[in-house]
Amino acid sequence: MTDTTDLGPEDRKIVTLARSARARNGVPEGAAVRDETGRTYVAGTVALDSLKLSALRTAVAMAVASGATSLEAAAVVTEAASASAEDLAAVRDLGGAGTPVLVAAPDGTVRDTVAAG
């Protein structure tokens, strides 16, 4: 486990944004991604009858829809122990296999950092 103070400022920012999205929207997960220009995209879980997306896949979709061509990093705040294979695949599709994914608990403590690939 990693205290967010051990992270660089840009990684701390995406963990904080992901945590805020989760809390603000009352959803199971919050996520944030940072693109190649430093812009961030923040999302929560989408759970409609006709559309179900994890927070991380939603954040990646928002980045793509906004014109991002790559990702520098991603963060997800969740009760789960790790990011799902589908979430990692979405990050990998846009950012590449080496893109770091920070997996944090609801209190913001980073449990793990994994490569998308």
Side-chain angles (χ1 to χ4, degrees):
M1 292 227 216
T2 304
D3 187 312
T4 55
T5 59
D6 294 336
L7 300 173
E10 293 301 313
D11 287 343
R12 262 197 320 271
K13 176 182 172 182
I14 61 173
V15 170
T16 299
L17 290 169
R19 188 173 180 220
S20 296
R22 181 181 183 271
R24 179 180 56 249
N25 297 323
V27 292
E29 294 181 342
V33 299
R34 184 175 61 246
D35 75 8
E36 73 282 359
T37 68
R39 290 179 298 182
T40 55
Y41 306 89
V42 182
T45 308
V46 174
L48 301 172
D49 289 339
S50 62
L51 179 64
K52 300 200 183 315
L53 290 172
S54 70
L56 193 49
R57 282 179 270 169
T58 303
V60 170
M62 291 173 65
V64 170
S66 297
T69 59
S70 184
L71 294 179
E72 291 181 350
V76 61
V77 174
T78 180
E79 295 281 351
S82 63
S84 72
E86 294 87 357
D87 284 352
L88 293 176
V91 172
R92 183 175 58 248
D93 285 349
L94 185 57
T99 306
V101 178
L102 306 163
V103 180
D107 69 358
T109 303
V110 177
R111 290 191 198 117
D112 200 8
T113 301
V114 297

